[in-house]
Amino acid sequence: AKYVYLFSEGNASMRNLLGGKGANLAEMTGLGLPVPRGFTVTTEACTRFYNDGKVIAKEIEDEIFATLSKLEEIVGKKFGDPENPLLVSVRSGARVSMPGMMDTILNLGLNDEVVEGLAKLTQNPRFAYDSYRRFIMMFSDVVMGIDRMKFEKLMDEIKEKKGVSADTELDAGDMKTLSERYKELYLKEMGVPFPQDPKVQLIEAVKAVFRSWENPRAVVYRRLNDIPSDWGTAVNVQEMVFGNMGNDSGTGVAFTRDPSTGEKKLYGEFLMNAQGEDVVAGIRTPQPIDVLKEINPDVYNQFVEIAEKLEKHYRDMQDMEFTIEHGKLFMLQTRNGKRTAQAALKIAVDLVNEGMITKEEALLRVDPKQLDTLLHPQFDPKALKAAKPIAKGLAASPGAATGKIYFSAEEAAQAYNAGEKLIILVRLETSPEDIEGMHVSQGILTGRGGMTSHAAVVARGMGKCCVVGCGEIIINEEEGYFIDKNGRRYNKGDWISLDGSTGNVYGEKLPTVAPEMTGYFGTLMKWADEVRVLKVRTNADTPRDAQQALKFGAEGIGLCRTEHMFFDSDRIGAMREMIVARTEEQRRKALEKLLPMQRSDFEELFRVMKGYPVTIRFLDPPLHEFLPKEEEDIQAIAAEMGITAEELKAIITELHEFNPMLGHRGCRLAVSYPEIAEMQTRAVIEAAINVKKEGLNVVPEIMIPLVGDVKELKYVKDVVVKTAEAIIKETGVELEYRVGTMIEVPRAAITADEIAKEAEFFSFGTNDLTQMTFGFSRDDAGKFLEEYYSKKIYEFDPFAKLDQTGVGELIRIAAEKGRKTRANIKMGICGEHGGDPSSIEFCHNVGLDYVSCSPYRVPIARLAAAQAQV
Ligand code: PEP
Ligand code: MG
C-alpha cells in the first residue's frame, strides 16, 4: 500500500484516505491556488500504527523520508541544512475535523545549527530565534506533554525583567536566551536533551498525531458525534511559510459567511507579524479582516477572490487559514466551516436560493441534532464561556436552565405557588410523585440514573432541561443541600445552572436567551416534509405534550403511556390502590375511580389530535415505580381500602420484586387481572365514541405491551375486543379500532409471524428490546457503560443509539416475519431511538411506516427522515 501522498497526487474525493485537511490541500493545489507544498501520511498509516502496537513500521518511515526527499527537490531546500533549510509544519487531519486532536507544530526542522543558518539567510535573527523558541515550546507541549504554562512563565520572566508587555517588544537576544531556557526546561522535564536531528523530530511529531487520535477528548468527541474509532487520522507535513517575518507578513483565519448568523459576508480576523497560534491563543487582539484592505489591498483582493472561488467550488461556506509572507499570500487550509444551528439553516436555504445547491442537498447540510438548540432556551454564549462547571452528569435532555434549587417536588411546587419562577429540582432520582415538581421547574438534576431513567424520559417528554446520573455531587435530600466535587455546599434556594446539552452543572445564575424560530427553520422543514416517506409521530401522555408536538409537526401519537396519566396528585392514590389491591373487588373499586379520569383524558387527547392516529398503550407500570413509600401515603391508602397500615405494608413487602423491570408488568398484569384491560378498553372506546359524536373521526389504536407469546396477546386482545364490541353495540355508534402490540421482548421479535396473526400493528419498544437483548438494565447500565466506552467494547450508548447489529437484527427479523403473516401490517418505533437520526435512518431502511419520539425531537426526526430518503 501507498502510505504517503504529495499534495499534487491527491484531490478532494480522497478524504477517507487523506483526511479532510489533506484532501482539501490537495484539491486547492490542483486548483492552482497558492498552497505551500507538502505531503500527507494517510489514515491507513494511522490504523497500521495501532495494529502494529503503536509503532511506525519501517516501511512507512522509509516512505515518509522518500517523499520528504521529493519535497526537498520540489522546493529546492534541504531538511536540516543550515545553508538552505526546509522547515515544515505538522498537523493532524481526520476525515471530519475533530476538536480534541493534536494541535499544530510549526517550524519543525530547526535545531541549534539550522537556526543560525536561518538567521544569516534571512538576515533576521529575531525572526529565526522567535521561530526556534516557538518550535521548542510546541514540540514539548504537543509531542511530549510538558505543560505549556511552564514555558509561558519563562517568557513572562524575561518580559518583566525588560519591563515590556508585548512579545513584539523582545529582541533577537531575548529570543535566543529564551530558546536556551526552553531547551534547559526540556532537559529537566524529559531527562534528555531537546532532539537536534530533524528526522527524529519529524517521526516523533507524526507519532504524536497518531497518538492524539486516542486521547480522551477525541474519544469523547467521537462518541458524541457518531464517529467510528477505526477511521484514524492523517498527518499533513507542509513547507513552512512565515507570518512572523516582519510587518509585511501576517496570518489569519476567515469564513466566507458569518458562522454564527449565516450572513453572507466575509468574516474573519488576522494579525500582522505573527504565527498561526497567536491568532487563536488570544495573546494579541487580532484585527477584523476588513482592516487588511487598508494594510495590503492587493493581498486582500486576492484573498476575497480565492474565498469566492473556494465557496463556489465546494458549494458550501468555507473556513480558511492563510499566511502572508513578505506580502505574498498563501492558503494553508480550507474546509466546510462549522456553524451554529441558526447559521446552518440560513446558509442552507440561501445556497438553494443562490442556485448553488438543490433542496435535497440543503437537507443534508443541517445536522438534525443541531436543531435542538433552536427549540430550547440557551445560555448567553459569553456568560457560558466565562463560567466554570462544578460537576458533570449525563446530558439527558437539552436546554439551558437556571434557577434556585429545591430538593423535593413539594418544595418546588410551594416555591412556584409563592411566585418563584426559576426553579431547579435536585433529586437523587425522580419517581412519578415528582411529576408536578418537574412541571414547575426549569430544569432537573439527579444524582443517579441513566439516559432512560424516569427523570430523563419524562424531562425529554416535557422538553425540559435535564442532567441525570450526576454522581460527582453528594445530595442530601432530607436536609436540603448538595456538595459539589470541590466540597462547596449549595443549600435550598441557592442558584445553579444546568446545560442539558453537555451535562455541565454551574454553581451560579447564568443568563439565558429565548429560542428564536426564524423563517429559515420553517422553510427547511417544509422541504423535509416534501421529501420524507417515514411518518413522524410523538410520544405524548398529556394534551399539553400532544399540542406541543403538533406545533413541531407531529402526525399522530405513537405512544401514550397510560400509567403516566396517573402521576398527578389527585390520581396517584387511586392508581396505587389498584396496584396494591389484593382482591378483585378492591381492584374494581379502584378501577371505578380511574375510569372517568382516563376517559376524559382520552377525549381531550383525541380532540387535540384532530383525527390523527393515536396509539394508546395499556398499563405497563413497573411495580417499584408505583408502590407507595411515604408513611402518609400508606396511611391514606390503607384507610381507603379499609385495612390497617400494617396490613398494607405487608402487602407492599409481598409485592416487592427483585427485578421489577422483568417482573409483573405490561400484559402480565392484564393476564392476572383482566379487569384492568376491561377498564382501559372502556375508557378508550367510550372516549372515541363521545368524540365521534362531536364530529371527529378517530380510529383508536390499542397497544398491548411486553408481549412475548402470541397466546398472551390473544388472551388480552379477547378481553379488549369483547369489551369494545359490547360498548359499541350498547351505544349503537359505529367505531373502527385496532388492537396491536409492542415488540419489545426478544421472543416476540423472533415469533413475530405468530404474533402478527393477532396483532394489527407492531410498535418496536426499543428501550425494553435493548435492555432485554443485551441483558442489562436500562436504569443501571449507565454505571458501567463508561468502562465499556473507555475500553472500546462499545462506542456509544445502545439506549440512545440503536444497536443495529444485534437489536436491529431482531427488528429486521420481526418486520419481515410480521409482513409474511400480514402483508400490510403497520409498523413503527416508539422507544427513545425513534428520535435519534442514525436509528431513524435504520427504521427507514427496514421499511417502518413511522417513528415516534418525544415532542421536542419531532423536528429532528422530520429532518432525519428526509435525510434517510435523500
Ligand atoms: C420501550 O420499551 O421502548 C417503550 C417505549 O416502553 P417503555 O419505555 O414505557 O418501557
Ligand atoms: Mg417498554
Side-chain angles (χ1 to χ4, degrees), residues 539 559 561 563 617 620 661 665 742 744 764-769 778 830-832:
N539 294 357
L559 173 65
R561 292 176 164 104
E563 65 280 1
R617 204 259 313 264
D620 178 15
M661 285 311 246
R665 56 177 284 226
M742 297 193 62
E744 53 182 345
F764 291 95
T766 44
N767 301 335
D768 274 307
L769 194 58
R778 53 203 263 195
C830 64
E832 287 299 297

PDB file of all heavy atoms in Angstrom, residues 539 559 561 563 617 620 661 665 742 744 764-769 778 830-832, ligand 1:
ATOM      1  N   ASN A 539     -44.400  10.678  21.178  1.00  0.00           N
ATOM      2  CA  ASN A 539     -44.745  10.016  22.430  1.00  0.00           C
ATOM      3  C   ASN A 539     -45.313  11.098  23.345  1.00  0.00           C
ATOM      4  O   ASN A 539     -44.593  12.017  23.734  1.00  0.00           O
ATOM      5  CB  ASN A 539     -43.510   9.403  23.086  1.00  0.00           C
ATOM      6  CG  ASN A 539     -42.917   8.268  22.263  1.00  0.00           C
ATOM      7  OD1 ASN A 539     -43.461   7.905  21.219  1.00  0.00           O
ATOM      8  ND2 ASN A 539     -41.812   7.720  22.725  1.00  0.00           N
ATOM      9  N   LEU A 559     -47.170   6.687  20.930  1.00  0.00           N
ATOM     10  CA  LEU A 559     -47.142   6.048  22.250  1.00  0.00           C
ATOM     11  C   LEU A 559     -47.724   6.996  23.288  1.00  0.00           C
ATOM     12  O   LEU A 559     -47.180   8.059  23.548  1.00  0.00           O
ATOM     13  CB  LEU A 559     -45.709   5.679  22.638  1.00  0.00           C
ATOM     14  CG  LEU A 559     -45.517   5.139  24.075  1.00  0.00           C
ATOM     15  CD1 LEU A 559     -46.237   3.807  24.259  1.00  0.00           C
ATOM     16  CD2 LEU A 559     -44.037   4.986  24.409  1.00  0.00           C
ATOM     17  N   ARG A 561     -48.330   6.570  27.084  1.00  0.00           N
ATOM     18  CA  ARG A 561     -48.095   5.643  28.204  1.00  0.00           C
ATOM     19  C   ARG A 561     -49.160   5.905  29.254  1.00  0.00           C
ATOM     20  O   ARG A 561     -49.062   6.873  30.001  1.00  0.00           O
ATOM     21  CB  ARG A 561     -46.714   5.876  28.807  1.00  0.00           C
ATOM     22  CG  ARG A 561     -45.539   5.489  27.914  1.00  0.00           C
ATOM     23  CD  ARG A 561     -44.239   5.871  28.620  1.00  0.00           C
ATOM     24  NE  ARG A 561     -43.060   5.249  28.067  1.00  0.00           N
ATOM     25  CZ  ARG A 561     -42.178   5.888  27.283  1.00  0.00           C
ATOM     26  NH1 ARG A 561     -42.359   7.142  26.954  1.00  0.00           N
ATOM     27  NH2 ARG A 561     -41.097   5.257  26.846  1.00  0.00           N
ATOM     28  N   GLU A 563     -49.924   4.684  32.082  1.00  0.00           N
ATOM     29  CA  GLU A 563     -49.573   4.791  33.504  1.00  0.00           C
ATOM     30  C   GLU A 563     -49.081   6.194  33.843  1.00  0.00           C
ATOM     31  O   GLU A 563     -49.258   6.665  34.952  1.00  0.00           O
ATOM     32  CB  GLU A 563     -48.542   3.734  33.920  1.00  0.00           C
ATOM     33  CG  GLU A 563     -47.169   3.824  33.289  1.00  0.00           C
ATOM     34  CD  GLU A 563     -47.132   3.226  31.887  1.00  0.00           C
ATOM     35  OE1 GLU A 563     -48.181   2.761  31.414  1.00  0.00           O
ATOM     36  OE2 GLU A 563     -46.052   3.246  31.266  1.00  0.00           O
ATOM     37  N   ARG A 617     -51.190   2.915  24.738  1.00  0.00           N
ATOM     38  CA  ARG A 617     -50.542   1.723  25.285  1.00  0.00           C
ATOM     39  C   ARG A 617     -51.168   1.398  26.630  1.00  0.00           C
ATOM     40  O   ARG A 617     -51.223   2.256  27.513  1.00  0.00           O
ATOM     41  CB  ARG A 617     -49.056   2.018  25.441  1.00  0.00           C
ATOM     42  CG  ARG A 617     -48.158   0.830  25.433  1.00  0.00           C
ATOM     43  CD  ARG A 617     -47.634   0.316  26.745  1.00  0.00           C
ATOM     44  NE  ARG A 617     -47.089   1.275  27.661  1.00  0.00           N
ATOM     45  CZ  ARG A 617     -45.776   1.564  27.760  1.00  0.00           C
ATOM     46  NH1 ARG A 617     -44.893   0.997  26.995  1.00  0.00           N
ATOM     47  NH2 ARG A 617     -45.384   2.410  28.685  1.00  0.00           N
ATOM     48  N   ASP A 620     -48.442  -0.300  31.828  1.00  0.00           N
ATOM     49  CA  ASP A 620     -47.165  -1.011  31.948  1.00  0.00           C
ATOM     50  C   ASP A 620     -46.374  -0.375  33.082  1.00  0.00           C
ATOM     51  O   ASP A 620     -45.362   0.271  32.858  1.00  0.00           O
ATOM     52  CB  ASP A 620     -46.396  -0.912  30.627  1.00  0.00           C
ATOM     53  CG  ASP A 620     -45.041  -1.596  30.708  1.00  0.00           C
ATOM     54  OD1 ASP A 620     -44.817  -2.378  31.664  1.00  0.00           O
ATOM     55  OD2 ASP A 620     -44.207  -1.349  29.824  1.00  0.00           O
ATOM     56  N   MET A 661     -38.078  -4.674  36.450  1.00  0.00           N
ATOM     57  CA  MET A 661     -38.190  -4.480  35.009  1.00  0.00           C
ATOM     58  C   MET A 661     -38.501  -5.792  34.290  1.00  0.00           C
ATOM     59  O   MET A 661     -38.954  -5.800  33.156  1.00  0.00           O
ATOM     60  CB  MET A 661     -36.899  -3.868  34.449  1.00  0.00           C
ATOM     61  CG  MET A 661     -36.746  -2.397  34.775  1.00  0.00           C
ATOM     62  SD  MET A 661     -38.235  -1.455  34.401  1.00  0.00           S
ATOM     63  CE  MET A 661     -37.630  -0.438  33.080  1.00  0.00           C
ATOM     64  N   ARG A 665     -45.293  -6.836  35.041  1.00  0.00           N
ATOM     65  CA  ARG A 665     -45.633  -5.580  34.369  1.00  0.00           C
ATOM     66  C   ARG A 665     -46.189  -5.887  32.982  1.00  0.00           C
ATOM     67  O   ARG A 665     -46.226  -7.026  32.552  1.00  0.00           O
ATOM     68  CB  ARG A 665     -44.404  -4.651  34.284  1.00  0.00           C
ATOM     69  CG  ARG A 665     -43.208  -5.252  33.614  1.00  0.00           C
ATOM     70  CD  ARG A 665     -42.046  -4.269  33.497  1.00  0.00           C
ATOM     71  NE  ARG A 665     -42.274  -3.305  32.434  1.00  0.00           N
ATOM     72  CZ  ARG A 665     -41.351  -2.966  31.527  1.00  0.00           C
ATOM     73  NH1 ARG A 665     -40.144  -3.511  31.550  1.00  0.00           N
ATOM     74  NH2 ARG A 665     -41.614  -2.088  30.593  1.00  0.00           N
ATOM     75  N   MET A 742     -46.738  -4.072  21.205  1.00  0.00           N
ATOM     76  CA  MET A 742     -45.367  -3.621  21.159  1.00  0.00           C
ATOM     77  C   MET A 742     -44.495  -4.843  20.922  1.00  0.00           C
ATOM     78  O   MET A 742     -44.794  -5.935  21.411  1.00  0.00           O
ATOM     79  CB  MET A 742     -44.967  -2.969  22.484  1.00  0.00           C
ATOM     80  CG  MET A 742     -45.785  -1.745  22.758  1.00  0.00           C
ATOM     81  SD  MET A 742     -45.121  -0.751  24.071  1.00  0.00           S
ATOM     82  CE  MET A 742     -43.535  -0.289  23.427  1.00  0.00           C
ATOM     83  N   GLU A 744     -41.121  -5.716  22.061  1.00  0.00           N
ATOM     84  CA  GLU A 744     -40.081  -5.234  22.963  1.00  0.00           C
ATOM     85  C   GLU A 744     -39.465  -6.356  23.796  1.00  0.00           C
ATOM     86  O   GLU A 744     -38.589  -6.120  24.608  1.00  0.00           O
ATOM     87  CB  GLU A 744     -40.613  -4.115  23.858  1.00  0.00           C
ATOM     88  CG  GLU A 744     -41.880  -4.453  24.604  1.00  0.00           C
ATOM     89  CD  GLU A 744     -42.398  -3.289  25.453  1.00  0.00           C
ATOM     90  OE1 GLU A 744     -41.651  -2.328  25.692  1.00  0.00           O
ATOM     91  OE2 GLU A 744     -43.555  -3.366  25.894  1.00  0.00           O
ATOM     92  N   PHE A 764     -42.184  -1.009  17.771  1.00  0.00           N
ATOM     93  CA  PHE A 764     -40.971  -1.521  18.395  1.00  0.00           C
ATOM     94  C   PHE A 764     -40.613  -0.694  19.628  1.00  0.00           C
ATOM     95  O   PHE A 764     -40.348   0.497  19.514  1.00  0.00           O
ATOM     96  CB  PHE A 764     -39.823  -1.563  17.397  1.00  0.00           C
ATOM     97  CG  PHE A 764     -40.021  -2.608  16.342  1.00  0.00           C
ATOM     98  CD1 PHE A 764     -40.583  -2.281  15.119  1.00  0.00           C
ATOM     99  CD2 PHE A 764     -39.702  -3.929  16.603  1.00  0.00           C
ATOM    100  CE1 PHE A 764     -40.806  -3.262  14.161  1.00  0.00           C
ATOM    101  CE2 PHE A 764     -39.922  -4.924  15.655  1.00  0.00           C
ATOM    102  CZ  PHE A 764     -40.480  -4.583  14.423  1.00  0.00           C
ATOM    103  N   GLY A 765     -40.658  -1.365  20.772  1.00  0.00           N
ATOM    104  CA  GLY A 765     -40.284  -0.714  22.030  1.00  0.00           C
ATOM    105  C   GLY A 765     -38.809  -0.987  22.266  1.00  0.00           C
ATOM    106  O   GLY A 765     -38.420  -1.915  22.977  1.00  0.00           O
ATOM    107  N   THR A 766     -37.993  -0.156  21.676  1.00  0.00           N
ATOM    108  CA  THR A 766     -36.563  -0.468  21.669  1.00  0.00           C
ATOM    109  C   THR A 766     -35.869  -0.187  22.999  1.00  0.00           C
ATOM    110  O   THR A 766     -34.730  -0.597  23.179  1.00  0.00           O
ATOM    111  CB  THR A 766     -35.851   0.297  20.537  1.00  0.00           C
ATOM    112  OG1 THR A 766     -36.327   1.640  20.539  1.00  0.00           O
ATOM    113  CG2 THR A 766     -36.145  -0.346  19.197  1.00  0.00           C
ATOM    114  N   ASN A 767     -36.562   0.465  23.927  1.00  0.00           N
ATOM    115  CA  ASN A 767     -35.958   0.616  25.257  1.00  0.00           C
ATOM    116  C   ASN A 767     -35.882  -0.753  25.925  1.00  0.00           C
ATOM    117  O   ASN A 767     -34.828  -1.194  26.372  1.00  0.00           O
ATOM    118  CB  ASN A 767     -36.781   1.552  26.142  1.00  0.00           C
ATOM    119  CG  ASN A 767     -36.933   2.935  25.538  1.00  0.00           C
ATOM    120  OD1 ASN A 767     -36.110   3.353  24.751  1.00  0.00           O
ATOM    121  ND2 ASN A 767     -37.995   3.625  25.910  1.00  0.00           N
ATOM    122  N   ASP A 768     -37.041  -1.412  25.970  1.00  0.00           N
ATOM    123  CA  ASP A 768     -37.040  -2.746  26.574  1.00  0.00           C
ATOM    124  C   ASP A 768     -36.323  -3.755  25.691  1.00  0.00           C
ATOM    125  O   ASP A 768     -35.610  -4.626  26.183  1.00  0.00           O
ATOM    126  CB  ASP A 768     -38.479  -3.206  26.839  1.00  0.00           C
ATOM    127  CG  ASP A 768     -38.979  -2.693  28.181  1.00  0.00           C
ATOM    128  OD1 ASP A 768     -38.277  -2.929  29.182  1.00  0.00           O
ATOM    129  OD2 ASP A 768     -40.034  -2.048  28.230  1.00  0.00           O
ATOM    130  N   LEU A 769     -36.512  -3.618  24.385  1.00  0.00           N
ATOM    131  CA  LEU A 769     -35.873  -4.582  23.485  1.00  0.00           C
ATOM    132  C   LEU A 769     -34.344  -4.513  23.624  1.00  0.00           C
ATOM    133  O   LEU A 769     -33.662  -5.533  23.589  1.00  0.00           O
ATOM    134  CB  LEU A 769     -36.298  -4.313  22.038  1.00  0.00           C
ATOM    135  CG  LEU A 769     -35.972  -5.429  21.037  1.00  0.00           C
ATOM    136  CD1 LEU A 769     -36.623  -6.749  21.439  1.00  0.00           C
ATOM    137  CD2 LEU A 769     -36.403  -5.051  19.620  1.00  0.00           C
ATOM    138  N   ARG A 778     -31.843  -0.938  31.846  1.00  0.00           N
ATOM    139  CA  ARG A 778     -31.774   0.439  31.333  1.00  0.00           C
ATOM    140  C   ARG A 778     -31.545   1.454  32.443  1.00  0.00           C
ATOM    141  O   ARG A 778     -31.087   2.556  32.193  1.00  0.00           O
ATOM    142  CB  ARG A 778     -33.044   0.768  30.532  1.00  0.00           C
ATOM    143  CG  ARG A 778     -34.308   0.485  31.297  1.00  0.00           C
ATOM    144  CD  ARG A 778     -35.475   0.263  30.367  1.00  0.00           C
ATOM    145  NE  ARG A 778     -36.284   1.455  30.167  1.00  0.00           N
ATOM    146  CZ  ARG A 778     -37.501   1.453  29.633  1.00  0.00           C
ATOM    147  NH1 ARG A 778     -38.049   0.322  29.226  1.00  0.00           N
ATOM    148  NH2 ARG A 778     -38.164   2.557  29.491  1.00  0.00           N
ATOM    149  N   CYS A 830     -41.303   3.228  18.938  1.00  0.00           N
ATOM    150  CA  CYS A 830     -41.666   4.241  19.935  1.00  0.00           C
ATOM    151  C   CYS A 830     -40.671   4.280  21.093  1.00  0.00           C
ATOM    152  O   CYS A 830     -40.865   4.995  22.059  1.00  0.00           O
ATOM    153  CB  CYS A 830     -43.078   4.024  20.443  1.00  0.00           C
ATOM    154  SG  CYS A 830     -43.310   2.481  21.322  1.00  0.00           S
ATOM    155  N   GLY A 831     -39.585   3.493  20.996  1.00  0.00           N
ATOM    156  CA  GLY A 831     -38.536   3.617  22.011  1.00  0.00           C
ATOM    157  C   GLY A 831     -37.797   4.935  21.802  1.00  0.00           C
ATOM    158  O   GLY A 831     -38.024   5.628  20.799  1.00  0.00           O
ATOM    159  N   GLU A 832     -36.894   5.246  22.735  1.00  0.00           N
ATOM    160  CA  GLU A 832     -36.158   6.517  22.660  1.00  0.00           C
ATOM    161  C   GLU A 832     -35.425   6.676  21.324  1.00  0.00           C
ATOM    162  O   GLU A 832     -35.159   7.789  20.875  1.00  0.00           O
ATOM    163  CB  GLU A 832     -35.138   6.605  23.798  1.00  0.00           C
ATOM    164  CG  GLU A 832     -35.753   6.845  25.154  1.00  0.00           C
ATOM    165  CD  GLU A 832     -36.516   8.150  25.222  1.00  0.00           C
ATOM    166  OE1 GLU A 832     -35.885   9.207  25.070  1.00  0.00           O
ATOM    167  OE2 GLU A 832     -37.743   8.114  25.409  1.00  0.00           O
TER     168      GLU A 832
HETATM  169  C1  PEP B   1     -39.893   0.744  25.154  1.00  0.00           C
HETATM  170  O1  PEP B   1     -39.683  -0.206  25.909  1.00  0.00           O
HETATM  171  O2  PEP B   1     -39.167   1.043  24.208  1.00  0.00           O
HETATM  172  C2  PEP B   1     -41.076   1.591  25.382  1.00  0.00           C
HETATM  173  C3  PEP B   1     -41.365   2.560  24.527  1.00  0.00           C
HETATM  174  O3  PEP B   1     -41.797   1.377  26.520  1.00  0.00           O
HETATM  175  P1  PEP B   1     -41.315   1.919  27.950  1.00  0.00           P
HETATM  176  O4  PEP B   1     -40.180   2.847  27.737  1.00  0.00           O
HETATM  177  O5  PEP B   1     -42.501   2.588  28.525  1.00  0.00           O
HETATM  178  O6  PEP B   1     -40.949   0.667  28.651  1.00  0.00           O
END
